[in-house]
Amino acid sequence: MSTTLKSSAAVAAIAASALVLSACGGSSPTQAPEQELQFGLSGDVPKLQPHLDQGASAMLLDSVLHRGLLGYDSKGEVVPALAEKYEQSDATTYKFTLRKGLTFHDGTPLTSAEVKTSFQALADPKAAAKIVAVTQGIQAIETPDAETVVIKLKAPNAAFLSYIADTTAAVLPPAAYQNAGESWVGAGPFKLASHDKGVSFVVEKFDGYYDAASVQLNKIDFPIYTDGQARTNALLAGDVDLIDFVPWEEFDRVKADQNITLDAQSGPFMYLNFNVTKGPFANAKVREAVALAVNRDNVVSAALSGNGSPIKGVPIPESSPFYNESLAKGWEQNIDKAKSLLAEAGYANGFSARMLSTSQYAFHRDTALSVQSDLAAVGIKLDLDLPDWATRVSKGNAGDYEIAVSGSAGVVNDPSFLSKFVQGPAEHTRSFGYDNANINALLAQGLSEADEAKRKAVYDDVSRTILTDVPFVSLAGRAQAFAYQKSVTGFSNLPGFLTFNSGYTLATTSIVSK
Amino acid sequence: MLRFIVKRCLLGMLLAFIVLTLIFLSLHLVPGDPAEIILTGEGGGAASPEALAKVRAQLGLDQSLWNQYVNYLSGVLSGDLGSSFRDNSPVTQAVAERLPRTLELVAVAVLLALVVGIPLGSLAAKRGGVIDATINLVTSTGISVPVYVIGTVLVLVFSLKLGWFPAGGFRAAETDFGGHLQRVLLPAVALSFGIISVVSRMTRSAVLEVISQDYVRTAKAIGLSRPVVFRKHVLRGSLNPVVTVVGLQVGTLLGSTVLVERIFNWPGLSGLLVEAVLQRDYPVVQGIVIVISVIFILINIIVDISYGLLDPRVRTS
Amino acid sequence: MKAFLKRIHAHSTPLRYAAVAVVFIVIAVAILAPLVAPHDPIAQNVANKLRPVGTPGHLLGTDQFGRDSLSRLIYGARIEIVVAVGATVFACIFGTFLGLMGGYFGRLVETVTMRLTDVILAFPPIILALLIVTIYGSGVMTLIVVMGLLFAPNFARITYGQVVGVKHAEYVEAAKAIGAPTPRILLRTVLPNIMSPIAVQMSLTLASTILLESGLSFLGLGVVPPTASWGLMVAEGQRFMASNPDLLLAPAIAVVATILSFSILGDALRDWLDPRSRTSRPRTAALTEVRA
């Protein structure tokens, strides 16, 4: 019997020591805050390649470690960054004046030559930068002196400055380009102190940053929490001060906590793609029928736990000056019309098709389930193909699907972002085989037009064509949220697609005592 | 005896070779392209065909399967498991970082299971009847609940409700020992639920077996008190097999901590393995599978050899 | 037969009767699903989503699509039984075959068959499942094959051990002496004499497959939605656990009760089938050997 006693004593001892541990490990918020931020990051970033990075975590680190000529302020307006000022001398010429004495984290100077190298890399089609479609429009980069950069475009591009304000247009040290544009060293407000793979990143304030005086955080620790629930729990338990990518099913739990701010913006959106090279979906009428048959409120409610907004037409956000209400609601649900379109197309009795989505992300899978149920009501029977994400990307690129669920975002909020969804080589975020000369011509015209009213007319035409030719079916905008303790001030989630640039505001974030 | 050992080792090497070949071939059967994932990440981005071709060439994926296999095999034979597709870091280094963490998790879990399971098992054996049945039911229930449900409940109760522990994560033991211990306990408890049942059942049957042995009866007959008999003879006699077998289970648990690692954000080997498959990081997947299977094979050889030492019949068969 | 019934009675406890009852109920519900389910298990009604347990018309509430949880649980029993029985039968046939061959013929056959089981065991189970599912796509058949493969080595080892034990027994030698063909000896003479440990193992494997199915579902490797399975329901429930714990409760209880019943049944079978059971050691490791 005594053995049993001894063992239970051991159990008690362990429990007791655990209590002691937790007691001494707890944080004590009594002293003045140390300006060290704990940021629960949603993913590890094995290598940082600002020109290519598209993942949320990579872009966040880019915005902390790197800087380009321009940046965004907390409202999403383009503001000067490494460039002290910029001016547009004519429709195709931009002149940037760099700040004085700029250096990278390693102390090497940053002059117009480094800027030129970076833009050349951005424009190199082989390097396949994220904004290469825009940077290929650069005709010449001139550097009259060490602090001046003049960029000449082949044709006017009304959204050029917005594109190069994205983290992707960071100026990197020349050495990075010997290494496929990979660099942890940049000119941003923080420099990398350590990276423990799969565990955390630690960055420290960079004293050589051009605006170091206004940077208040001395250190940011980015522990990595891949699982959304684990990340939320870490925030609620007070282990971290701030998290990115709050899972939708956790919004209510986060909102319920008095000490936490949930900062959500409508970010990327969910939509349907088609393989238009074969089968029923090659017919625009069938695609339009799909667009009219889906119940977008259900997608928001079921797949995004109600945290999003239905998009019933072309996905230009209401806040945009290019928003046109009737066109933005052009695909209001209309079952009867959907059925008659199907009948016109010769599918009065419906048909079966294979829908590609992924089981790796619950919101992709649940969007597919919601749409499956809606389309069954008009006679389209969908079998779901739910592989992991890598397989889904491959199948999407190869056109190995009939209809697919996608989620993506534009780079900028300017409506020129639409080009990403309707033109270009075969790619998993675009309908396979889709090409419409009319839309392509209109989009080119939209970029070269400088006058806003004229631009609006052009994008209205683009929208009208999209509504009837249906290159994709918009479903719902996802509420992309950060959440942080009330003690964190100065951080803000940038509006729309710019949400992935929100790390810019960490340069002005501070911790105040509660 | 030496011949037996040599034979088992050769067989073990053959086995490792088969596993390596199988994993290599099946990875190349899996749909999905490492280059696509490297270029587009988890975002919904686009990558040009030129960029894809370039990355494939960098990774050596443009070579024939046979060439890739021969290259990989010659690397492994010289102790080089290749480098990760994603960050070019050596796979051996990644394994060396992650393996101890998972080992630690498993070791603490097993330790907890022994501390709880042995008393439960001996109690069940000694008392029998209702207590035996109750202990059996409770430990069996522990093993029947999916481990991620247990894990989530533990987080909700002990981190969020009571605030005793952080809600997962990891701190290096060298820099923050207290923080490290705090974070290892909950996942280890979650993992131990399944093992407790095994330990307690094995203890129970081992105790029952020992109790019926002659020397125990003799000890009782000569008038030693029951607790003394139990402690000095029964428990000592039955613990050896329990500890040995459970220790061996550590090997099989190595690749099985995926869910616990995910719930508690513990950066271990299993999590890396799953992530590497999802990211199509072939060298990392191959490296981890080989390391885990070699450990498994080694443990088996040791078991076989020790059985061989104990029981001459095994050697001749 | 009479002796067998007597043994059942002698080794039975209320718990064991309860376990038998649970298994019967699960099987009956699975067979009668369309008759007993109050709603269509995949019919969505998003306006009525995430209702708690006890909602009128939805006894166990509804999930994030407004689907009736009770109906999903009932239809889920079907998938659960099909997957568990399918995987167990596959594991049993494949594993027993390997063990029988290896044990009876020895030498090269033994090396090949037993090392084959080692190869399966040497793979981390999760990687085997991940690879097979990503190559062949998820679904009921894939699940059966994956879990069948993972559990086959248990059967192979048990059978092997038993066969080695009986292959020189008098009745086997006698069958050989009268010139019976080898397949006949294996199937008619050897197999019946080693059936009881295999039956026990089957019961434990049924329990293990249900547990593993829930783990695989958590990783998105289970059945294809909208088909309901318990594992998928538990995995989904875990996502909503902090906000809507009701969603998890019913499927978790179903999973735990069924697993428990199968493993209690396994212990019971050992006693019922094997008169010496009180002294033999329980082989209970099976439940833990394959975990995600």
Side-chain angles (χ1 to χ4, degrees), chain A residues 1-3 7 11 18 21-22 46-47 54 128 197-199 224-225 233 239 253 388 390-391 394 397 408 427-429, chain B residues 31-33 36 44-46 48 51 86-87 89 98 115 119 126 155 160 164 166-167 182 185 231 235 265 267 278 280:
Chain A
M1 197 60 229
S2 61
T3 317
S7 312
V11 175
L21 280 175
S22 57
K47 46 179 161 181
Q54 316 217 16
K197 245 177 276 170
V199 181
I224 296 156
Y225 291 87
N233 287 336
D239 301 350
R253 204 151 63 97
D388 69 345
T391 309
S394 253
N397 287 342
S408 189
E427 205 272 316
H428 72 100
T429 58
Chain B
D33 179 349
E36 283 169 355
S48 70
R86 293 192 297 153
D87 60 3
S89 65
R98 299 280 190 133
V115 168
K126 277 199 302 181
V155 172
L160 296 186
W164 290 0
Q182 263 188 320
L185 212 57
R231 210 171 52 234
L235 208 57
N265 206 38
L278 293 179
R280 303 294 187 270

Side-chain angles (χ1 to χ4, degrees), chain B residues 96-181:
Chain B
E97 256 171 34
R98 299 280 190 133
L99 182 61
R101 295 181 194 154
T102 295
L103 272 178
E104 181 191 0
L105 204 58
V106 171
V108 177
V110 167
L111 203 70
L112 284 173
L114 289 175
V115 168
V116 179
I118 290 175
L120 281 180
S122 20
L123 194 67
K126 277 199 302 181
R127 294 296 174 83
V130 181
I131 292 186
D132 184 9
T134 314
I135 289 178
N136 185 10
L137 187 67
V138 169
T139 56
S140 305
T141 309
I143 204 175
S144 310
V145 184
V147 71
Y148 57 90
V149 173
I150 296 178
T152 316
V153 170
L154 289 177
V155 172
L156 289 181
V157 173
F158 290 100
S159 311
L160 296 186
K161 262 252 147 58
L162 300 172
W164 290 0
F165 295 95
F170 179 82
R171 290 278 187 281
E174 309 88 64
T175 52
D176 179 5
F177 191 68
H180 178 84
L181 279 190

Side-chain angles (χ1 to χ4, degrees), chain B residues 243-315:
Chain B
V243 174
T244 316
V245 171
V246 170
L248 292 175
Q249 275 226 330
V250 173
T252 59
L253 276 170
L254 271 187
S256 312
T257 52
V258 179
L259 301 176
V260 168
E261 287 182 13
R262 178 182 292 198
I263 298 285
F264 291 96
N265 206 38
W266 183 263
L269 198 63
S270 304
L272 182 65
L273 178 58
V274 171
E275 198 184 297
V277 174
L278 293 179
Q279 304 278 345
R280 303 294 187 270
D281 196 341
Y282 300 163
V284 174
V285 178
Q286 289 157 359
I288 296 177
V289 169
I290 288 166
V291 168
I292 293 184
S293 44
V294 165
I295 293 177
F296 177 87
I297 292 166
L298 274 179
I299 290 179
N300 266 289
I301 292 178
I302 293 169
V303 174
D304 280 4
I305 292 175
S306 51
Y307 279 163
L309 287 174
L310 293 175
D311 184 354
R313 282 172 301 174
V314 178
R315 260 175 285 161

